[in-house]
Amino acid sequence: MFELFKRLFAFEFLDTSVFMWWDSLCYDWHCGNRNRELGGEDLRLQDVLFEALAKILFLDSEPCQGAALHGLGHLHHPGTGELIERYLQERPSLTKERKAYALAAAKFQVM
């Protein structure tokens, strides 16, 4: 997934496709269809998606960063808050809007 974002979406913004890409993959944790506590596939898949989103979040591409925040906001991974805190610390020049969205994603409050 990271390579798709790094090689395509970072250079070719495809309207809402890049932003909404993660809904089909992460929303199951947001609405409770998947649960990390169950272990197994739910836990492993959530960890793999989180790793990909973490790498995408630090690409030098605003659309990719926004997409990663959106996915993180739906994935409900326990490492999300710490990851987004690091993202905000390393990017002090983010717009107010991007900071607010990042903070909402850290609380799993994105739409």
Side-chain angles (χ1 to χ4, degrees), residues 66-84:
L69 289 170
H70 188 75
L72 289 164
H74 289 320
L75 188 61
H76 291 241
H77 189 277
T80 299
E82 184 179 319
L83 175 67
I84 291 177

Side-chain angles (χ1 to χ4, degrees), residues 27-86:
Y27 199 73
D28 280 347
W29 282 271
H30 189 71
C31 64
N33 291 338
R34 287 190 178 264
N35 185 338
R36 179 179 187 80
E37 319 289 297
L38 297 176
E41 180 181 283
D42 286 2
L43 183 137
R44 287 190 307 273
L45 184 55
Q46 189 186 42
D47 285 346
V48 167
L49 291 172
F50 179 78
E51 288 174 23
L53 286 162
K55 289 169 63 175
I56 293 166
L57 183 61
F58 288 92
L59 285 172
D60 190 22
S61 163
E62 287 190 26
C64 289
Q65 292 172 22
L69 289 170
H70 188 75
L72 289 164
H74 289 320
L75 188 61
H76 291 241
H77 189 277
T80 299
E82 184 179 319
L83 175 67
I84 291 177
E85 183 178 314
R86 191 177 95 218

Side-chain angles (χ1 to χ4, degrees), residues 7-23:
R7 294 178 185 215
L8 176 63
F9 291 150
F11 302 101
E12 188 67 39
F13 185 65
L14 302 173
D15 198 25
T16 59
S17 299
V18 67
F19 192 73
M20 299 303 286
W21 183 267
W22 296 103
D23 276 16

Side-chain angles (χ1 to χ4, degrees), residues 1-2 10 13-14 32 49 53 58 66-67 71 79 95 97-98 108:
M1 217 54 83
F2 172 73
F13 185 65
L14 302 173
L49 291 172
L53 286 162
F58 288 92
T95 65
E97 293 81 13
R98 178 54 58 94
F108 311 123

Side-chain angles (χ1 to χ4, degrees), residues 26 44 84 88 103:
C26 299
R44 287 190 307 273
I84 291 177
L88 291 171
L103 292 171

